[in-house]
Amino acid sequence: MYEVVVVGGGPAGLSAALVLGRQRRRVLVVDAGRPRNAPAAEMHMFLGRDGGSPATLLADGRTEVSAYPTAELRQGRVSSAEGESGRFTLSLEDGERVEASRLVLASGLTDEPVAIPGLAERWGRSVFHCPFCHGYETNGKVLAVIGNGFEAMLAAYVADRYSDDVVLCTNGPSALPEPVAAAVKARGVQVVETPLAGLDGELDALTLRFADGTELAREAVYHRAPTRPNTDLAVQLGCALLPDGCVEVDEYGRTSVPGVYAAGDAAHLKAVPDPVTLVGPSAADGVRAAVWLEQELFRAGLPVAPG
């Protein structure tokens, strides 16, 4: 029986395990090894690590967690979870079953780029999701943004911050809300409604191919892809979900199910419908949830005053 099992070994999960290991809790981290930012060569806006490798951050994190004898790391995927506070049972894909008094769900999100040939293959290398993460490096480049509806505001933003040559590709008939259309027009963004047929080339030498046979040369592309949680464990456990599919948590990282905490990209407050999903906030989420989980475990172990 572990005191805590952390599902997910990204910045949130490892940060939670680090806190708990330092408090001498017996904690197990189960990680599937598929971090959301794996395609990216660099990460940014994490103080002391700006421009560093995401893979190196996680490797260093695993080393730090492993230094605490009560913390254990295991590569694998949790396929199911059941039980209640004090005794949860988790089944791993390899058939092993583990038990824990408390859980931290920190398995993150997966980006699902629109189905345009060549787009997913360039994800994180020449097609970027976040202008905060990659915008500075695309400063002065000729850019394309693939998006429609409210998501197309991204085109106005990158035109405002990084480039005077931005083309918005709506991949079909434009459906821009009035505020988005006005912002795009005000910043001189060209709108192309022709459906996309594919994307070729590499960073600084990309070609967007359209269904009518025309082409557009760009140096980088932005696309804010939809996301999905990496596991359905929260559903299995009965945790309340938010409209975006993420786990609803309170300010302490607690879910609606006693004994289950959640942290990172796939968990947020109901009052924050569009949370910041960056490495720094994810790590902070893990620390916050673990500190309050530790307090819960401490209180649970206190003697009960005689009645």
Side-chain angles (χ1 to χ4, degrees), residues 192-205:
V192 176
E193 298 182 271
T194 308
L196 282 153
L199 179 63
D200 300 318
E202 300 300 333
L203 184 66
D204 295 332

Side-chain angles (χ1 to χ4, degrees), residues 89-141:
T89 301
L90 288 76
S91 297
L92 279 59
E93 279 192 338
D94 64 4
E96 185 178 0
R97 290 165 66 87
V98 296
E99 293 185 336
S101 176
R102 302 291 191 275
L103 301 178
V104 177
L105 304 180
S107 54
L109 298 172
T110 291
D111 295 301
E112 295 189 316
V114 64
I116 296 170
L119 185 65
E121 294 86 342
R122 290 163 175 79
W123 193 250
R125 295 184 291 111
S126 54
V127 178
F128 303 120
H129 174 79
C130 174
F132 285 88
C133 297
H134 303 284
Y136 192 87
E137 286 67 40
T138 61
N139 186 46
K141 296 182 184 294

Side-chain angles (χ1 to χ4, degrees), residues 230-299:
N230 279 329
T231 74
D232 66 350
L233 298 180
V235 176
Q236 295 179 31
L237 291 163
C239 300
L241 303 181
L242 295 162
D244 61 3
C246 291
V247 187
E248 181 180 352
V249 294
D250 64 13
E251 62 270 32
Y252 305 106
R254 297 178 299 199
T255 73
S256 62
V257 175
V260 180
Y261 288 68
D265 289 358
H268 61 88
L269 296 166
K270 185 176 183 179
V272 186
D274 194 13
V276 176
T277 55
L278 301 172
V279 174
S282 291
D285 281 352
V287 171
R288 184 182 303 110
V291 166
W292 290 109
L293 191 161
E294 164 60 30
Q295 295 303 301
E296 179 183 316
L297 287 172
F298 167 68
R299 290 192 299 271

Side-chain angles (χ1 to χ4, degrees), residues 177-201:
E178 191 281 328
V180 177
V184 165
K185 182 179 180 180
R187 285 158 180 78
V189 175
Q190 178 187 352
V191 179
V192 176
E193 298 182 271
T194 308
L196 282 153
L199 179 63
D200 300 318

Side-chain angles (χ1 to χ4, degrees), residues 114-116 119 144-156 166-177 180-181 184 189-197 208-211 216 221-223:
V114 64
I116 296 170
L119 185 65
V145 175
I146 299 173
N148 212 335
F150 282 104
E151 300 299 337
M153 187 63 87
L154 179 58
V166 178
V167 175
L168 171 62
C169 303
T170 58
N171 197 32
S174 172
L176 306 184
V180 177
V184 165
V189 175
Q190 178 187 352
V191 179
V192 176
E193 298 182 271
T194 308
L196 282 153
L208 284 78
R209 294 183 287 104
F210 295 91
L216 175 67
V221 172
Y222 281 92
H223 171 50

